[in-house]
Amino acid sequence: MPPLVELSPILTRRELRPGVVDLTVRAPGIAAAAKPGQFVHIKCGDDMLLRRPISLCDVEEDSLRLVIEAVGVGSRWLCERDAGEFLDLLGPLGDAGFPVPESGDPILLVGGGVGSAPLLMCARKAHEAGVAVDAVLGFGTAAAVIMEQDFA
């Protein structure tokens, strides 16, 4: 299936720590097709030519969860958006995403920083299939830790 373009309302916005936000956006077409390990390209304002790739953290029904760190101009722009605003999304993108076992031996997921976020959907789907999941997440400092409860 080709990627979809959706003008998606931001449903919720919360700050996980300074410079990192957690956005939930309604994007029913993308959500229905999304797999763990995929991403969306997001248009960032009218004056930025290139879309920004943002990994999918998780999917729930018709919504996507995105965890974004303000690193450059585009990601800072995204982190400044608030509930009620709209984002122009293109996705899901990325070949097959992460393979998710439907049974068998336990799996170990390893991630660091904001790069841990795309592992959540994989962990959830494996857990729902009855596969034991352990996650090892690394952060530069204790203050940088995010999503600890999500992975617990």
Side-chain angles (χ1 to χ4, degrees):
M1 178 163 99
L4 304 169
V5 174
E6 291 191 66
L7 190 57
S8 304
I10 299 172
L11 303 175
T12 64
R13 178 198 187 275
R14 69 184 176 111
E15 191 170 289
L16 298 180
R17 66 171 168 79
V20 178
V21 298
D22 184 336
L23 299 179
T24 301
V25 298
R26 181 176 298 119
I30 296 172
K35 297 177 185 144
Q38 292 188 309
F39 65 98
V40 290
H41 267 164
I42 306 176
K43 185 173 178 7
C44 298
D46 293 329
D47 58 339
M48 287 179 251
L49 177 64
L50 300 176
R51 291 174 177 264
R52 298 313 192 268
I54 303 295
S55 296
L56 299 177
C57 175
D58 206 356
V59 172
E60 186 174 322
E61 297 178 11
D62 67 348
S63 300
L64 307 173
R65 182 175 174 192
L66 309 171
V67 174
I68 305 166
E69 183 171 20
V71 176
V73 175
S75 58
R76 266 195 309 277
W77 183 90
L78 287 169
C79 286
E80 293 169 355
R81 302 304 94 200
D82 209 347
E85 294 185 61
F86 285 79
L87 296 177
D88 183 330
L89 306 179
L90 171 67
L93 298 168
D95 291 335
F98 301 145
V100 179
E102 296 179 11
S103 64
D105 294 332
I107 62 171
L108 174 65
L109 301 174
V110 180
V114 176
S116 301
L119 299 177
L120 186 63
M121 186 180 357
C122 182
R124 181 182 55 78
K125 288 189 173 282
H127 179 74
E128 288 171 354
V131 175
V133 179
D134 284 311
V136 177
L137 310 177
F139 300 91
T141 66
V145 174
I146 58 171
M147 302 179 64
E148 189 173 16
Q149 291 302 317
D150 293 292
F151 281 94

